[in-house]
Amino acid sequence: MSFRRGIRGDDFRRALETLAQQDGWWKDVLADPTLIIGIRDEYLNVYWQGQSIFKVSFKGGKVTASTHEKYLLNPDLKDQVSLVEGKFAFGEAEPRMLTREYKRGETLGRLKRAASLYSGQEKEGVHEIATANDSVVDVEIAINASDIPDIKRNLPRMDLANFETTANGVDLVFWEAKTFSNPELENGDIVGQIADYQKVIDLHKTEIEDSYRCVAKNLADMAKWSNEHRNVAAAIRAVADGAKLNVSSANVGLLVYDFTAIQRDRKDDDGKTLKHRVIESLSKVGVGPERIKFKGTSKGLTI
């Protein structure tokens, strides 16, 4: 199976529920709605601004977590370290340089600050949108496309997926996110990106539907375990309870943010703004203006 999402193992789910009742890192993650829990194929990624600060798995009958070593460098370091005869004299600074144990009320915030150093405007925007919209079910969605001809990337990666209530059930909508200054909007590469996404969605439609049904159940469970710190949209709860989930390559959209009013209103020689040019170009792949959102800031951008 080329695309698979969800924690399906009963033992893993029960272990996560039990761990949620115990003081520690998992209870802290669930209690922090600014963190995004990305549900993968029998593991989780806990994201802060596009950086996975925890990978959570189930091994040997236990929940295990790991983090990248770069996030363990203390982001609050301020002192100078002397270079003496070719060697750095760490002295008393060395014990403070690394996070060596998890402490409630301290370590999670430190990991987030360390991860922020590796983020950027686009990732920060995606994070802000995802945490502000309870209907978002996934971020950083990679789908294997190595078996699809005429596609530019073997692993197309969409930024966001969310559920949208309609008269015919719930639609799964994928969104690509760009800052206004991203050259792919101007040079037309965005058209090829969206077309690639549409191809992989068409090919893996059944797998995608099955995956996000399971993800909906997982997210609803985690909201319950969090003691009301986490919310999920009614659409997610509906799918978790068996509502119809519609997956279609027609439901792909574009989010553009991080621009000023001057940038927004700037026109080319034909009198067209960037937004007008993007709408025209994406109409070639069937993306209508209702699926193209421009907002000066990612704050308050609803999907």
Side-chain angles (χ1 to χ4, degrees):
M1 188 175 278
S2 297
F3 185 83
R4 183 179 170 89
R5 290 280 195 276
I7 306 302
R8 301 163 191 268
D10 290 337
D11 290 345
F12 192 4
R13 291 200 302 270
R14 282 195 292 265
L16 286 171
E17 182 177 8
T18 298
L19 194 60
Q21 311 311 313
Q22 303 169 8
D23 290 345
W25 66 271
W26 178 235
K27 186 175 183 178
D28 290 351
V29 166
L30 290 174
D32 186 346
T34 69
L35 291 171
I36 298 168
I37 300 176
I39 299 172
R40 305 305 178 218
D41 181 13
E42 298 303 333
Y43 72 95
L44 311 172
N45 285 128
V46 179
Y47 288 104
W48 174 253
Q49 295 185 353
Q51 312 301 308
S52 176
I53 61 173
F54 284 122
K55 181 179 179 181
V56 185
S57 307
F58 190 64
K59 297 178 181 178
K62 295 182 178 180
V63 177
T64 64
S66 62
T67 191
H68 196 287
E69 57 189 5
K70 64 188 178 185
Y71 304 139
L72 297 178
L73 183 63
N74 186 350
D76 300 324
L77 294 173
K78 298 177 182 178
D79 294 341
Q80 294 286 311
V81 176
S82 299
L83 178 60
V84 181
E85 296 181 354
K87 295 183 179 181
F88 289 102
F90 292 112
E92 296 181 359
E94 190 166 8
R96 302 195 306 271
M97 293 181 70
L98 291 175
T99 299
R100 299 179 184 277
E101 61 180 306
Y102 186 88
K103 296 181 181 179
R104 295 203 70 195
E106 176 183 330
T107 303
L108 190 57
R110 182 178 289 182
L111 291 175
K112 288 162 68 174
R113 292 196 302 276
S116 296
L117 301 175
Y118 299 93
S119 189
Q121 286 179 313
E122 213 153 82
K123 295 293 185 183
E124 290 172 8
V126 168
H127 189 93
E128 192 161 46
I129 295 165
T131 53
N133 289 270
D134 291 342
S135 56
V136 169
V137 293
D138 206 358
V139 295
E140 300 281 338
I141 307 120
I143 304 180
N144 189 344
S146 58
D147 55 346
I148 304 177
D150 301 322
I151 200 166
K152 290 185 178 180
R153 294 171 296 170
N154 287 336
L155 203 66
R157 188 181 300 272
M158 293 171 278
D159 290 304
L160 293 153
N162 81 299
F163 284 174
E164 188 176 292
T165 301
T166 71
N168 298 313
V170 176
D171 286 354
L172 175 64
V173 184
F174 293 102
W175 293 93
E176 176 68 9
K178 301 287 187 190
T179 56
F180 189 88
S181 59
N182 192 307
E184 292 169 341
L185 298 175
E186 193 69 71
N187 63 24
D189 283 354
I190 186 61
V191 178
Q193 277 187 274
I194 299 294
D196 284 351
Y197 299 155
Q198 293 170 333
K199 290 175 185 176
V200 296
I201 292 167
D202 277 337
L203 187 65
H204 299 292
K205 190 178 297 184
T206 300
E207 299 160 31
I208 292 171
E209 179 185 350
D210 176 73
S211 289
Y212 284 109
R213 283 193 174 282
C214 187
V215 166
K217 294 176 183 177
N218 294 157
L219 290 174
D221 283 342
M222 290 177 192
K224 181 173 61 177
W225 303 338
S226 75
N227 294 318
E228 300 184 352
H229 289 289
R230 289 181 172 270
N231 297 313
V232 292
I236 296 176
R237 294 191 184 278
V239 173
D241 291 337
K244 183 181 180 183
L245 179 62
N246 307 306
V247 179
S248 170
S249 59
N251 289 328
V252 180
L254 173 68
L255 307 171
V256 182
Y257 48 86
D258 192 30
F259 55 87
T260 65
I262 293 175
Q263 290 174 306
R264 178 197 65 201
D265 297 336
R266 186 179 298 134
K267 298 180 180 179
D268 63 11
D269 293 340
D270 295 324
K272 297 177 181 178
T273 63
L274 178 63
K275 181 178 181 179
H276 290 149
R277 296 195 297 275
V278 167
I279 289 174
E280 284 184 355
S281 63
L282 287 183
S283 67
K284 300 173 185 175
V285 288
V287 178
E290 73 280 0
R291 288 279 184 237
I292 302 171
K293 296 178 181 285
F294 275 65
K295 192 174 186 298
T297 173
S298 54
K299 186 174 183 179
L301 204 167
T302 57
I303 55 176

